[in-house]
Amino acid sequence: MLPLISLMGALKDFWELVRRVQEWLTLGGTALAAAIALFFLLTWVLSHTRQASAYPRPWLSRLALVSAYPAVLLTAVAAVGLFVPGLQPLILKSFAVAVLLAALSWCFGVAALLGGGNAHDLARARRALILAGTPWYCLTLYLATHL
């Protein structure tokens, strides 16, 4: 019974964080989203200065890439919400969860770059970084055009 109560408390805290992110996005989100999108792009550009090594380290770059896909999927859900009237209330919620997942993926991508690896590992980490920025690029466009 105790683990169930702690799990429910954790879920409540998570949804409170999602609600706060949603409020931040609606209040001053365009400038914030644009700045963070540029930060993601800058990280991706700077990632090209990292040189490959002879030793492969694929596990962290794969984790970064796999963790970027849910953020992209939620961004696609938000995009579908533009065209399906019943899903419009979910647009900002989808973006809020997507940017949280993108931040986690960005952390994994930067860790993969700092950890190094061969050329394939670094390319995978770079792909994860550019994909993790997708919610921010799309959110910037959405907020600038629809709010």
Side-chain angles (χ1 to χ4, degrees):
M1 186 68 173
L2 186 61
L4 182 62
I5 293 171
S6 64
L7 178 65
M8 290 176 63
L11 285 173
K12 182 181 175 187
D13 292 341
F14 175 74
W15 286 114
E16 177 65 25
L17 180 63
V18 168
R19 188 188 59 75
R20 280 186 171 174
V21 169
Q22 184 180 0
E23 287 175 1
W24 292 337
L25 294 177
T26 55
L27 292 177
T30 304
L32 176 69
I36 294 176
L38 287 175
F39 178 71
F40 271 70
L41 282 174
L42 179 67
T43 305
W44 177 74
V45 168
L46 290 176
S47 72
H48 285 81
T49 62
R50 178 76 167 144
Q51 297 295 321
S53 68
Y55 304 105
R57 294 190 181 152
W59 62 273
L60 195 54
S61 62
R62 286 184 181 147
L63 177 63
L65 186 59
V66 167
S67 68
Y69 287 121
V72 173
L73 180 65
L74 283 170
T75 304
V77 168
V80 168
L82 291 172
F83 304 107
V84 179
L87 295 177
Q88 287 179 349
L90 296 177
I91 292 174
L92 284 178
K93 289 179 182 158
S94 296
F95 273 129
V97 174
V99 298
L100 290 174
L101 294 174
L104 180 68
S105 177
W106 180 86
C107 291
F108 289 146
V110 169
L113 286 173
L114 294 175
N118 61 19
H120 294 293
D121 298 333
L122 294 179
R124 200 177 298 120
R126 289 182 188 116
R127 191 175 323 119
L129 287 175
I130 202 73
L131 285 175
T134 302
W136 290 103
Y137 318 138
C138 296
L139 180 63
T140 302
L141 290 173
Y142 172 74
L143 293 175
T145 56
H146 293 293
L147 290 183

